[in-house]
């Protein structure tokens, strides 16, 4: 009986020692899945894109398991706050308005916004005065949509649930111009929008409009996860992983100065 108890105790100790090594922390990541080339769903339901590859690289660096959750853009912050996932990796700009609700990691890329219009459009200037009376569109709850609402009150501002819907109305001639993340717009112009549309006017790079770069949003009390992700961003920038992902999607450095 004593031998049996000793063997049972030894087995229990071995199981306890092995458990932490077998277990792996899981980080649930919210993303939209409708914002190519940064995040999108393929025809067979796979999430792909720059955001997705960056998130996977960060999880690998942190030695945690990634679990992706798709969420419509308009509800992406409320779902984070409700605990549906732990972090948003969805090309979200770091802005003062959003900081009232969530915390952000360091940026993982930088992007201006720009106007697109039909190739035969007479639009050359994109100031609020120049676009007065014009129909202008953007995806809702984005820095582009917010900027149109804030600064283009003399225009017919139309907001859309997804970028694809705004692009479709521009292509169909139902909009005079669309304000969009420059890199996302370039992806569309190079593919579906190649026949119809082009960029017009100057890029908008003012940080008061575009924010401090693109970061990963977290709940405001999650300091430990923020510090881990920041360390992982630094690591993949230094070890070449970031450049490898960058070069898969772009022929220039999206990180910025």
């Amino acid at each position: 009986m004593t031998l049996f108890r000793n063997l049972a105790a030894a087995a229990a100790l071995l199981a306890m020692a092995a458990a932490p090594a077998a277990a792996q922390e899981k980080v649930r990541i919210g993303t939209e899945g409708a914002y190519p080339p940064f995040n999108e769903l393929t025809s067979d339901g796979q999430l792909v894109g720059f955001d997705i590859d960056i998130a996977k690289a960060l999880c690998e660096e942190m030695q945690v398991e990634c679990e992706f959750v798709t969420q419509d853009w308009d509800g992406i912050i409320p779902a984070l706050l409700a605990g549906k996932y732990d972090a948003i990796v969805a090309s979200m700009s770091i802005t003062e308005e959003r900081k009232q609700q969530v915390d952000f990691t360091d940026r993982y890329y930088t992007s201006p916004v720009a106007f697109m219009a039909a190739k035969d459009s007479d639009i050359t200037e994109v100031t609020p005065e120049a676009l007065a009376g014009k129909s202008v569109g953007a995806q809702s709850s984005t820095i582009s949509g917010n900027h149109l609402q804030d600064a283009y009150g003399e225009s017919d501002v139309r907001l859309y649930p997804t970028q694809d819907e705004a692009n479709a109305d521009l292509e169909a001639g139902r909009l005079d111009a669309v304000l969009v993340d420059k890199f996302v717009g370039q992806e569309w112009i190079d593919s579906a929008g190649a026949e119809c549309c082009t960029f017009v006017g100057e890029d908008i790079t003012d940080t008061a409009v575009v924010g401090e770069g693109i970061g990963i949003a977290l709940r405001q009390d999650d300091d430990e996860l923020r510090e881990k992700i920041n360390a992982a961003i630094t690591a993949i920038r230094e070890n070449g992983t970031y450049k490898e992902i960058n070069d898969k999607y772009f022929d220039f450095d999206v990180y910025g100065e």
Side-chain angles (χ1 to χ4, degrees), residues 55-66:
K56 289 178 178 178
L58 294 175
C59 286
E60 182 175 352
E61 183 65 34
M62 294 187 293
Q63 297 184 338
V64 299
E65 178 186 350
C66 273

Side-chain angles (χ1 to χ4, degrees), residues 186-207:
Q186 188 67 65
E187 169 79 5
W188 182 70
I189 285 174
D190 287 344
S191 53
E195 296 299 319
C196 78
C197 303
T198 188
F199 287 113
V200 293
E202 298 291 327
D203 293 353
I204 299 173
T205 58
D206 184 354
T207 56

Side-chain angles (χ1 to χ4, degrees), residues 38 50-51 53-58 60-61 89 91 106-111 183 213-216 229-230 232-250 252-257:
F38 293 96
F50 180 82
D51 288 333
D53 287 356
I54 288 291
K56 289 178 178 178
L58 294 175
E60 182 175 352
E61 183 65 34
V89 186
S91 290
D106 297 338
R107 80 178 195 272
Y108 64 97
Y109 80 91
T110 305
S111 178
F183 303 151
I214 308 300
I216 296 170
I229 294 176
N230 281 341
I233 291 171
T234 299
I236 67 170
R237 287 281 298 164
E238 291 177 348
N239 66 22
T241 302
Y242 184 96
K243 185 178 187 306
E244 182 179 338
I245 296 170
N246 182 104
D247 294 352
K248 176 180 174 182
Y249 295 95
F250 309 104
F252 53 90
D253 183 7
V254 298
Y255 187 77
E257 297 295 331

Side-chain angles (χ1 to χ4, degrees), residues 21-211:
Q24 186 178 35
E25 182 184 351
K26 179 183 290 186
V27 176
R28 297 165 301 162
I29 295 172
T31 195
E32 184 186 14
Y35 204 61
F38 293 96
N39 59 81
E40 62 180 315
L41 284 165
T42 63
S43 58
D44 60 351
Q46 298 298 308
L47 273 170
V48 298
F50 180 82
D51 288 333
I52 308 307
D53 287 356
I54 288 291
K56 289 178 178 178
L58 294 175
C59 286
E60 182 175 352
E61 183 65 34
M62 294 187 293
Q63 297 184 338
V64 299
E65 178 186 350
C66 273
E67 178 183 300
F68 289 95
V69 180
T70 55
Q71 169 68 48
D72 290 344
W73 181 257
D74 284 349
I76 205 163
I77 287 180
L80 171 70
L81 300 180
K84 186 175 179 179
Y85 34 76
D86 307 303
I88 297 171
V89 186
S91 290
M92 181 170 285
S93 298
I94 304 168
T95 65
E96 291 302 320
E97 181 181 2
R98 288 175 178 148
K99 285 180 182 178
Q100 303 305 309
Q101 301 181 74
V102 298
D103 278 351
F104 283 97
T105 64
D106 297 338
R107 80 178 195 272
Y108 64 97
Y109 80 91
T110 305
S111 178
V113 294
F115 279 96
M116 303 185 297
K119 287 182 176 179
D120 61 359
S121 171
D122 61 359
I123 295 174
T124 56
E125 298 292 328
V126 293
T127 62
E129 295 76 19
L131 295 182
K134 301 284 190 181
S135 58
V136 294
Q139 184 176 3
S140 63
S141 302
T142 63
I143 58 172
S144 296
N146 293 343
H147 185 53
L148 290 184
Q149 289 182 305
D150 291 343
Y152 288 77
E154 298 302 314
S155 300
D156 174 14
V157 174
R158 305 177 192 176
L159 302 181
Y160 296 80
T162 68
Q163 188 63 49
D164 284 344
E165 290 171 87
N167 296 347
D169 269 9
L170 178 64
E171 185 175 15
R174 291 186 288 268
L175 284 173
D176 293 311
V178 164
L179 186 61
V180 62
D181 177 298
K182 182 67 178 284
F183 303 151
V184 172
Q186 188 67 65
E187 169 79 5
W188 182 70
I189 285 174
D190 287 344
S191 53
E195 296 299 319
C196 78
C197 303
T198 188
F199 287 113
V200 293
E202 298 291 327
D203 293 353
I204 299 173
T205 58
D206 184 354
T207 56
V209 176
V210 301

